[in-house]
Amino acid sequence: MADKIKKFFQKKKVDTKFKLAGPGYKLSEKTTSRVSNDSGSSCNVGPRAAPSTESRQAAAAALARLGGQKQDSAGFNTSLAAIQAQVRRELEAEKKAAALAKETSPTETQSEEDVLSSPYLAVTGVYFKCPMIGSDILSREEWTKKIKEFLYEQLEEERGLTACLIIHSCNKNREKVGQCVDTLCKYLENIITNPTEEKYRKIRMSNRAYQDRVACLEGTQDFLTAAGFKIQKLPFQDGEEDFWVYSEDNLENSETLQILYDALQSAEPISLELDRNLQVLLPSQAAKRVDLPPAFFSITAEELKREQQMRAELIERSLMLRTKAMREKEEQREMRRYRYALMRIRMPDGILLQGTFSVYEKVDAVNKFVRENLINENLPFVLTTPTGHRLSEEDVDKSLAELRLVPATILTFSWDPSVVEELGGGQQQAMFLKPEVMILVQSL
């Protein structure tokens, strides 16, 4: 049944892509008669209005053609040289500033409320993708709304399977969803195993178990309707009450009950994929954009303010003699404050590659992120933490939280010693990141 649900969504995804492809045209039409419609062919990519890499490359190529210039590697190297020169100037300025005075982190001098309202955010938020529904990049709240709208649009076409997904995807309390699924499956199972028993074909709507476990969740009424139940008034005690009634005539189509039973058991919530929110920063940009948005924290702004007030107490506690177990317990409690981690990888030329990760993702995910943005993807490299620890094979399966790399960390990139000679000095090569990634460097 899970395959059927998967095929259902794959079909929806193809339909969505087809609609986004723009208006069709006949092969016999002249291409000159076709007029492009920007509003019709554009794709909503969420709050981040920056054009995609492909759009930037296409624009650069168009400008080059209009200017009668040939777009080749030399054209890019000229802009790259300007970027590298700017990076060198900024690095020299950083060294001079460090020699004059030790820089203080904004989070050490500002209150938590100031940080949350700071205009110097490292990222504007946390964004997600949902390949099953579309190519948009949106916040979790926006996706929650979009998924719900999408599912309710499919009810007329495939009420049973869609209702299963609504139950799993549109109700937040997982414990209640589990109870609901068990109860609904019990209703169906009773009819499947005891088709002649009339009592199993009726569900009193005022029944407490039904109200507490089924009626309060979204999608349940659509599920019962798809299964073949109908609401009827029946005599009960001294009056009449509403019942869900499964007609005897539907027993011939009992296969539908088994299909829905399997679907409800195997269905899962529509999942979101964390978008890396790839950014490439100059040293000066990285130095300014240091604050994290509230979405990175698992506690509210008010709780953060209380944490700020408790800092003096924490400092006193840190001076107390504590056991290793006590220290580890406090560290774990501290790590649970964060949901996401901002990883910055400083390349040898000073450019910083930035991505967003879940605190529970493994170091291997960071390695993969770095590798897919390198010119030399297949060559081994090393990432070093601010404490000087080189992330090794032993660390690959450890989470970012385990390694204390949250909520934000700068890792230093270097080629593995085994390939330095092969690259002709390694650290002195002209460019480390792919040209299409370097295009993302934003001007100040």
Side-chain angles (χ1 to χ4, degrees):
M1 198 59 240
D3 292 338
K4 190 170 182 180
I5 294 175
K6 187 176 180 181
K7 287 178 183 178
F8 169 72
F9 270 94
Q10 283 177 339
K11 179 179 180 298
K12 294 303 170 188
K13 185 178 178 182
V14 171
D15 291 343
T16 301
K17 284 186 176 181
F18 184 78
K19 291 175 182 177
L20 291 174
Y25 65 97
K26 296 180 180 178
L27 294 176
S28 58
E29 280 185 335
K30 293 182 180 179
T31 55
T32 53
S33 65
R34 293 173 58 203
V35 181
S36 62
N37 187 339
D38 292 341
S39 60
S41 59
S42 62
C43 176
N44 179 21
V45 294
R48 294 188 291 136
S52 65
T53 301
E54 291 79 9
S55 300
R56 293 180 185 228
Q57 288 176 317
L63 289 173
R65 287 195 298 272
L66 287 173
Q69 300 172 356
K70 183 179 179 181
Q71 189 186 29
D72 53 15
S73 59
F76 181 80
N77 287 337
T78 302
S79 60
L80 174 62
I83 293 173
Q84 290 175 328
Q86 185 171 354
V87 170
R88 283 195 294 271
R89 289 194 298 270
E90 291 179 0
L91 291 176
E92 289 174 4
E94 281 185 7
K95 290 179 181 178
K96 290 180 182 178
L100 293 174
K102 186 177 180 181
E103 293 183 355
T104 304
S105 172
T107 55
E108 294 176 358
T109 57
Q110 297 177 333
S111 69
E112 297 291 350
E113 283 188 340
D114 291 338
V115 171
L116 293 177
S117 61
S118 170
Y120 302 110
L121 291 175
V123 285
T124 56
V126 178
Y127 302 100
F128 298 85
K129 298 177 286 187
C130 186
M132 280 191 171
I133 293 182
S135 58
D136 295 350
I137 299 175
L138 307 169
S139 68
R140 184 181 291 278
E141 293 73 19
E142 289 171 316
W143 266 123
T144 299
K145 182 179 178 182
K146 191 177 182 71
I147 288 172
K148 185 174 179 178
E149 290 174 351
F150 175 83
L151 289 175
Y152 275 97
E153 287 173 0
Q154 314 309 316
L155 278 174
E156 290 186 10
E157 182 178 342
E158 184 58 71
R159 183 174 295 274
L161 294 178
T162 305
C164 293
L165 292 172
I166 290 174
I167 291 170
H168 282 276
S169 302
C170 299
N171 298 291
K172 293 183 179 180
N173 190 320
R174 304 314 306 164
E175 184 178 349
K176 277 193 168 294
V177 169
Q179 290 179 347
C180 175
V181 169
D182 291 342
T183 305
L184 288 173
C185 285
K186 191 63 178 177
Y187 291 157
L188 301 190
E189 184 181 9
N190 285 337
I191 298 175
I192 293 170
T193 56
N194 305 283
T196 59
E197 291 286 344
E198 185 180 355
K199 65 178 181 179
Y200 292 131
R201 300 200 302 270
K202 298 177 182 178
I203 305 169
R204 184 162 55 89
M205 297 182 69
S206 61
N207 178 274
R208 185 170 180 179
Y210 171 79
Q211 288 294 325
D212 292 345
R213 299 180 182 180
V214 178
C216 57
L217 273 70
E218 284 195 57
T220 54
Q221 292 195 21
D222 291 302
F223 178 84
L224 291 170
T225 301
F229 285 87
K230 292 182 179 179
I231 298 177
Q232 295 181 16
K233 284 191 177 294
L234 298 177
F236 183 76
Q237 294 180 354
D238 297 332
E240 290 185 338
E241 286 201 26
D242 289 331
F243 282 77
W244 282 105
V245 179
Y246 187 82
S247 173
E248 238 181 305
D249 298 336
N250 292 330
L251 290 175
E252 297 178 1
N253 301 321
S254 59
E255 184 182 350
T256 302
L257 294 182
Q258 188 62 54
I259 291 174
L260 290 177
Y261 178 93
D262 294 338
L264 191 60
Q265 287 278 19
S266 59
E268 295 180 353
I270 295 178
S271 59
L272 300 178
E273 294 180 9
L274 180 63
D275 180 59
R276 295 297 179 216
N277 197 1
L278 172 64
Q279 294 185 33
V280 182
L281 305 173
L282 299 172
S284 60
Q285 293 172 315
K288 289 180 180 178
R289 303 175 189 176
V290 295
D291 298 334
L292 297 175
F296 271 69
F297 299 88
S298 59
I299 55 180
T300 64
E302 292 182 1
E303 290 172 324
L304 284 174
K305 186 176 181 179
R306 286 198 294 271
E307 290 277 345
Q308 174 74 11
Q309 295 170 349
M310 293 170 61
R311 281 188 175 183
E313 186 179 322
L314 289 174
I315 292 173
E316 281 185 21
R317 190 182 303 170
S318 66
L319 300 176
M320 294 170 55
L321 185 62
R322 293 173 296 160
T323 64
K324 182 180 179 181
M326 290 171 63
R327 291 195 301 272
E328 289 179 351
K329 188 175 181 180
E330 287 188 9
E331 287 176 357
Q332 289 173 0
R333 185 164 56 247
E334 179 70 14
M335 291 300 105
R336 285 196 292 269
R337 290 179 55 192
Y338 309 107
R339 294 178 181 174
Y340 305 101
L342 187 75
M343 306 303 296
R344 284 177 173 172
I345 295 84
R346 186 187 294 276
M347 310 307 292
D349 57 5
I351 292 290
L352 289 99
L353 184 69
Q354 176 177 293
T356 302
F357 296 80
S358 164
V359 296
Y360 301 110
E361 287 192 77
K362 310 296 184 184
V363 169
D364 189 50
V366 180
N367 288 336
K368 182 181 178 182
F369 169 70
V370 175
R371 187 176 295 109
E372 65 189 12
N373 288 294
L374 291 174
I375 291 180
N376 302 296
E377 293 186 38
N378 299 321
L379 297 180
F381 57 86
V382 178
L383 298 178
T384 307
T385 68
T387 60
H389 173 67
R390 302 181 73 179
L391 299 177
S392 62
E393 290 295 329
E394 297 178 357
D395 300 315
V396 168
D397 292 327
K398 293 181 180 178
S399 70
L400 301 181
E402 284 181 85
L403 293 171
R404 309 291 189 268
L405 300 180
V406 299
T409 303
I410 296 179
L411 302 175
T412 303
F413 173 95
S414 61
W415 290 118
D416 189 271
S418 63
V419 300
V420 171
E421 291 184 7
E422 181 182 339
L423 292 172
Q427 311 300 328
Q428 302 301 322
Q429 70 180 89
M431 186 165 57
F432 294 84
L433 302 178
K434 293 176 180 178
E436 58 267 29
V437 177
M438 287 295 292
I439 291 175
L440 299 176
V441 175
Q442 301 176 12
S443 59
L444 294 174

